[in-house]
Amino acid sequence: MRSVWMVVSGFAMAVAIGGAVYYLLPRQSAEPDAGAFSVPPQPSNDSRVLVVPADNPLLTASRGQLGRWVPLYPIRCGEILFENADPTARNFTFCIGEIRNRVAHYTGASISRNDVLDPRVKAHWQEVMGAK
């Protein structure tokens, strides 16, 4: 009976350690970062062409990239900056700085406060993230 207990407790320990490692280690995204390669996007065949400055990666970011660059925890910076857009909010300045740091870390591009607060970034964030 003791050997059965040892096998069961060993199995439970292995499952617990495996689960902890799975949830605590950072995950690799299936999407590459904007700075991972420098292939320019192909122009569309539409009559309208959107010209996006190359110096603001927030304007062309995918959902995964915005998820990494715009913090959700412990402060919901997307709501503060792009939904409410209240400059008097408690963490407004912190969120701008955090987004600038994350974009610089992931892409190497240095963006300004005005780049983060650009109305086109707000519209892009709302479209990609499905905000109100």
Side-chain angles (χ1 to χ4, degrees):
M1 188 66 174
R2 183 178 175 120
S3 63
V4 171
W5 175 248
M6 293 296 288
V7 169
V8 170
S9 64
F11 179 73
M13 185 66 93
V15 169
I17 291 173
V21 168
Y22 177 77
Y23 284 109
L24 294 178
L25 287 180
R27 295 185 182 131
Q28 293 289 332
S29 175
E31 310 172 2
D33 284 339
F37 55 89
S38 61
V39 177
Q42 296 296 324
S44 66
N45 293 334
D46 292 344
S47 60
R48 299 178 302 162
V49 177
L50 177 65
V51 178
V52 178
D55 60 342
N56 191 350
L58 290 171
L59 293 173
T60 58
S62 66
R63 183 177 181 91
Q65 290 168 329
L66 286 175
R68 284 189 298 274
W69 298 345
V70 180
L72 291 175
Y73 181 81
I75 300 164
R76 295 179 152 299
C77 289
E79 290 178 10
I80 293 172
L81 295 179
F82 305 126
E83 286 182 23
N84 300 339
D86 180 14
T88 61
R90 181 175 178 198
N91 294 310
F92 191 82
T93 305
F94 169 79
C95 288
I96 292 171
E98 187 64 23
I99 291 171
R100 291 179 64 202
N101 289 339
R102 289 181 181 205
V103 169
H105 174 75
Y106 283 107
T107 66
S110 178
I111 61 174
S112 69
R113 174 185 173 92
N114 292 335
D115 290 335
V116 175
L117 297 177
D118 189 343
R120 296 174 298 170
V121 172
K122 177 181 178 178
H124 179 68
W125 186 85
Q126 289 176 342
E127 178 185 332
V128 171
M129 301 304 278
K132 301 174 197 172

